[in-house]
Amino acid sequence: MLHPKYRPDIDGLRAIAVLSVVAFHAFPGWVKGGFIGVDIFFVISGFLISTIIFENVDKGTFSFTEFYTRRIRRIFPALLLVLAACLAFGWFALFADEYKQLGKHIAAGAGFISNFVLWGEAGYFDNSAETKPLLHLWSLGIEEQFYIIWPPLLWLARKRKFHLILIIGVVSFYLNLKGIKQDAIATFYSPLTRFWELLAGSLLAWVSLYKKEFKPSPNLFSIAGLLLLAYGFLCINKDSGFPGLWATIPVLGAMLLISAGPNSWINRELLSNRLAVWFGLISFPLYLWHWPLLSFARIIESEMPHKAIRLAAVLLSIALAWLTYRFLEKPIRRTKKVMALVVLMGLVGGTGYLIFSHDGYGSRASIKDFKNNKNELVRTPYTDEACFKYINNKTPLFPLCRFTDANSTETIAVIGDSHAYAAYPGIAEYVKAKGKNTVLLANSGCPPYLGAPTRKNDAEKEACKLRMEELIHVVLAHKDIQKIFFFTRGPIYVTGVEPLPTIDPTEHHILSQADIDLGIQRTINSLTQAGKKVFYVTENPELSYTAPSCITRPFRLNARDCRPEKAQVMARQKDYLNALTQLQHVTIINSTKAFCPENKCIVFEDGSLLYSDDDHLSVAGSRFQVKHLLAPFLQ
């Protein structure tokens, strides 16, 4: 098979693409649109692959066997090494649930379906994305799916190549524009909404081969292309609704730079300089190595690593990329043992699936001493069938419903928002041991007060109102409920500000003291008028760090001191607690008495973490709260 003449400027364009992606992942504030480097890669791949196919189909020299053999030799070696390295490091560094997910992603990466698996999990830009070491393989999945589909289609089309490119490209672009408004996650990961970017490169290949009369202005095209990419890097960001129409900027920029040819000044002097070409040659292994290193650092630190750690990860990924290119990629490109690579990829993928199917091998000696810490971060179920049966409703409007049956005629109710859910496990255990039932009936996402005093939009306000009305109706309908414990994350409703600095302010939650008084009092009155006794438990101290950063884990033996200062907790809760002093017909139980007996508040007891995140209690925390605060009231 014939192959296009080597162009060093295309390697330079690869360098821009990979370095922008690396910079975005390591220092997102520097290059906010750096992720568009992936779109540049798509255009380059479409151009080169289509050029090869066009020329060889025309000359009758195209071979499917040789085409896919070359793809395997090009892609498999570095990918195998990175997947194997992730497997090995994960064995020693990851907890069972983390290793289980990694196993699934390794199997998906080996099968080139990562985009589909990630599509079913979450968005690319969400927080959890940072803790997926193989997240970046979504783009490789799309490229490989294109390589599988495109050659047979072009071979069948033969003399109608342009029509094929145009039809599929227009349909894909239309689905991209339509999809970004309906399902941004699906549009990001779906090959159907991404193929137009590779086909843009295919169109460029068709023009360069079959429209020789097309004479672009090299310098004008290259300047325009570089300006478009610069605009994309600076002005596109993760909130731009990407890909959508925004993706045309990196796609057009890459097309203009490629079409300018190797003799334009920018392509000749900038893109073809030795350093740019060197980064272009190692771009594939660099892309593969950089994200696992950054992601593992993020997992181990349980928060964004320090800049020095991220810089070290980038430098290490560059070194590993060069070693991979020099001692693995180059020698294997000349090998004939393609089947061995296929078998190895199958073994690595199978190993990943085995890890996934065995729940991450939680009995590994490497994590034995850390398992209890991790277990405290695991949340209990939000609902259970026993609760649905108790309230005689399988689809309640309120989302949190649990019931612990002690075969008693007396039931203690735990109501409120998600903090009631967090408090429930310890209360349920204690009360069941006393021979009483416990029910959790809780809201989330809005203040759980009658009248829905929330600053959200009208639709959400009405939804909150209906949820709370149904919840109170359930409590009133059950005569066995005589004691009610009310929990809310009160300070957030007053301040609208999170103690955790990485979370954006939630100004639409800000309520006045009068709003809180009116809402809570209305709720209390509806219950006490029915002869029920109400206890209001004030908010436990909130953390200014994420809970995982407070625990020890493999490769991070010294956790930070996460204990909040009592003075800071009291200052944050001042207006909230003042509002509660105006309430009538209720017993106020102040949590700070148990959690903050001294100048600093308690975060661990007997080695167990009392929090599952920065504000919700863990199961151990709910037990602590019962033991040191609630037990006298639960008799």
Side-chain angles (χ1 to χ4, degrees):
M1 285 174 59
L2 300 172
H3 293 274
K5 183 180 178 181
Y6 173 68
R7 284 180 53 178
D9 60 309
I10 290 182
D11 265 331
L13 187 57
R14 281 195 180 107
I16 290 177
V18 74
L19 291 176
S20 68
V21 173
V22 172
F24 169 73
H25 284 153
F27 308 101
W30 294 5
V31 189
K32 294 181 179 179
F35 56 88
I36 67 173
V38 172
D39 305 87
I40 299 172
F41 276 127
F42 284 161
V43 177
I44 294 172
S45 293
F47 173 74
L48 294 176
I49 293 302
S50 296
T51 300
I52 293 170
I53 298 171
F54 289 160
E55 289 185 329
N56 286 281
V57 167
D58 289 347
K59 296 180 183 299
T61 57
F62 182 77
S63 164
F64 285 104
T65 301
E66 185 177 343
F67 176 83
Y68 290 115
T69 295
R70 287 180 64 88
R71 290 295 90 208
I72 290 170
R73 287 202 298 259
R74 172 76 177 92
I75 293 167
F76 278 35
L79 180 59
L80 275 169
L81 179 61
V82 171
L83 292 179
C86 289
L87 271 175
F89 186 77
W91 179 270
F92 297 101
L94 301 183
F95 291 118
D97 60 324
E98 298 165 340
Y99 201 44
K100 176 182 179 179
Q101 184 183 70
L102 179 66
K104 178 172 69 169
H105 291 171
I106 284 172
F112 300 100
I113 57 169
S114 291
N115 54 318
F116 292 114
V117 171
L118 292 164
W119 177 355
E121 290 180 351
Y124 183 71
F125 296 112
D126 68 7
N127 290 336
S128 63
E130 299 169 356
T131 58
K132 297 177 181 179
L134 297 175
L135 174 80
H136 61 325
L137 296 189
W138 72 269
S139 63
L140 191 59
I142 287 177
E143 282 200 28
E144 293 308 303
Q145 289 149 25
F146 180 77
Y147 295 156
I148 291 169
I149 295 171
W150 192 231
L153 287 177
L154 279 181
W155 186 82
L156 290 171
R158 294 179 183 269
K159 297 187 181 298
R160 295 189 177 272
K161 305 181 190 73
F162 175 75
H163 298 90
L164 184 67
I165 295 170
L166 192 64
I167 292 170
I168 299 178
V170 168
V171 171
S172 175
F173 185 65
Y174 169 75
L175 292 174
N176 160 55
L177 294 181
K178 181 181 178 182
I180 201 66
K181 298 176 182 178
Q182 298 176 342
D183 190 340
I185 294 174
T187 306
F188 192 95
Y189 286 119
S190 173
L192 297 179
T193 53
R194 288 290 196 163
F195 275 179
W196 70 272
E197 299 184 50
L198 291 118
L199 290 169
S202 300
L203 179 62
L204 193 59
W206 184 86
V207 170
S208 66
L209 288 174
Y210 303 117
K211 293 293 178 181
K212 301 291 187 183
E213 66 274 16
F214 177 68
K215 301 292 184 183
S217 173
N219 289 327
L220 181 62
F221 271 42
S222 60
I223 291 171
L226 196 62
L227 287 175
L228 275 174
L229 293 186
Y231 176 82
F233 292 141
L234 295 174
C235 298
I236 297 175
N237 59 63
K238 64 181 183 179
D239 300 317
S240 295
F242 200 86
L245 193 60
W246 284 104
T248 58
I249 291 173
V251 169
L252 287 174
M255 290 178 71
L256 287 169
L257 280 166
I258 295 171
S259 62
N263 296 320
S264 68
W265 186 87
I266 287 175
N267 292 40
R268 184 181 69 251
E269 299 298 328
L270 297 181
L271 299 184
S272 297
N273 78 73
R274 292 179 65 182
L275 183 61
V277 170
W278 184 80
F279 272 107
L281 291 173
I282 68 167
S283 60
F284 181 58
L286 178 55
Y287 181 77
L288 292 180
W289 277 116
H290 85 281
W291 181 247
L293 292 176
L294 289 168
S295 183
F296 278 125
R298 174 70 175 77
I299 292 169
I300 290 168
E301 292 294 305
S302 298
E303 59 187 355
M304 177 68 82
H306 188 273
K307 286 182 180 179
I309 295 176
R310 284 177 276 153
L311 179 60
V314 169
L315 294 176
L316 179 58
S317 65
I318 293 172
L320 290 171
W322 180 82
L323 291 170
T324 303
Y325 170 76
R326 175 67 179 82
F327 297 105
L328 185 65
E329 280 192 324
K330 286 185 71 175
I332 287 184
R333 285 181 189 178
R334 297 187 291 269
T335 186
K336 302 282 187 186
K337 299 178 180 179
V338 174
M339 189 52 65
L341 294 173
V342 174
V343 171
L344 284 173
M345 188 64 76
L347 288 173
V348 170
T351 303
Y353 182 77
L354 201 63
I355 291 168
F356 172 72
S357 62
H358 284 77
D359 295 324
Y361 289 104
S363 60
R364 283 173 285 138
S366 56
I367 63 170
K368 182 177 64 175
D369 295 334
F370 304 94
K371 283 173 63 176
N372 186 56
N373 280 339
K374 178 64 177 179
N375 289 341
E376 294 303 335
L377 304 178
V378 178
R379 298 187 186 278
T380 55
Y382 297 143
T383 61
D384 57 40
E385 289 297 325
C387 186
F388 295 153
K389 183 177 179 181
Y390 176 76
I391 67 174
N392 195 27
N393 185 353
K394 287 187 174 295
T395 57
L397 296 177
F398 49 88
L400 303 167
C401 186
R402 300 282 304 280
F403 182 70
T404 302
D405 189 359
N407 195 27
S408 171
T409 58
E410 184 178 347
T411 301
I412 289 180
V414 179
I415 70 172
D417 58 17
S418 59
H419 282 239
Y421 156 76
Y424 179 76
I427 294 175
E429 287 179 7
Y430 182 84
V431 170
K432 186 177 183 180
K434 297 289 183 181
K436 300 176 185 178
N437 305 333
T438 317
V439 66
L440 167 70
L441 306 167
N443 228 323
S444 66
C446 56
Y449 311 138
L450 280 175
T454 175
R455 300 292 173 86
K456 291 189 173 187
N457 61 52
D458 290 342
E460 290 177 316
K461 183 174 181 177
E462 181 63 18
C464 289
K465 177 176 178 290
L466 294 175
R467 285 183 192 177
M468 199 60 195
E469 287 176 353
E470 184 184 62
L471 190 156
I472 296 299
H473 175 75
V474 170
V475 176
L476 295 176
H478 284 78
K479 304 301 181 185
D480 55 311
I481 297 177
Q482 291 300 308
K483 280 188 177 182
I484 300 162
F485 287 79
F486 201 96
F487 295 82
T488 75
R489 191 186 180 190
I492 193 68
Y493 302 141
V494 179
T495 65
V497 178
E498 296 269 0
L500 195 64
T502 57
I503 298 179
D504 294 332
T506 54
E507 293 182 357
H508 54 279
H509 279 166
I510 297 178
L511 304 175
S512 68
Q513 292 186 40
D515 286 335
I516 292 178
D517 279 344
L518 182 63
I520 298 179
Q521 191 65 65
R522 185 185 287 125
T523 308
I524 291 169
N525 290 346
S526 69
L527 299 169
T528 55
Q529 287 169 7
K532 302 179 188 295
K533 191 168 185 178
V534 181
F535 301 85
Y536 189 103
V537 185
T538 68
E539 165 71 331
N540 51 266
E542 299 156 293
L543 308 182
S544 57
Y545 300 107
T546 60
S549 70
C550 302
I551 64 174
T552 56
R553 61 172 298 144
F555 298 100
R556 180 165 61 87
L557 301 179
N558 297 314
R560 67 168 78 246
D561 182 359
C562 291
R563 293 177 299 166
E565 295 283 347
K566 182 177 181 179
Q568 293 178 351
V569 172
M570 299 308 296
R572 175 170 170 78
Q573 294 192 4
K574 179 181 177 182
D575 292 339
Y576 157 68
L577 292 176
N578 284 341
L580 299 183
T581 61
Q582 307 302 316
L583 298 178
Q584 298 177 345
H585 315 301
V586 62
T587 301
I588 304 295
I589 305 173
N590 194 323
S591 288
T592 54
K593 293 179 180 179
F595 285 90
C596 305
E598 299 178 355
N599 291 335
K600 284 199 171 186
C601 303
I602 298 170
V603 175
F604 284 88
E605 184 184 51
D606 298 329
S608 293
L609 179 64
L610 304 184
Y611 290 78
S612 61
D613 59 24
D614 61 292
D615 59 278
H616 293 93
L617 296 178
S618 64
V619 173
S622 70
R623 291 169 179 154
F624 173 92
Q625 189 175 52
V626 169
K627 177 182 176 183
H628 296 281
L629 184 69
L630 302 180
F633 306 96
L634 292 169
Q635 303 303 322

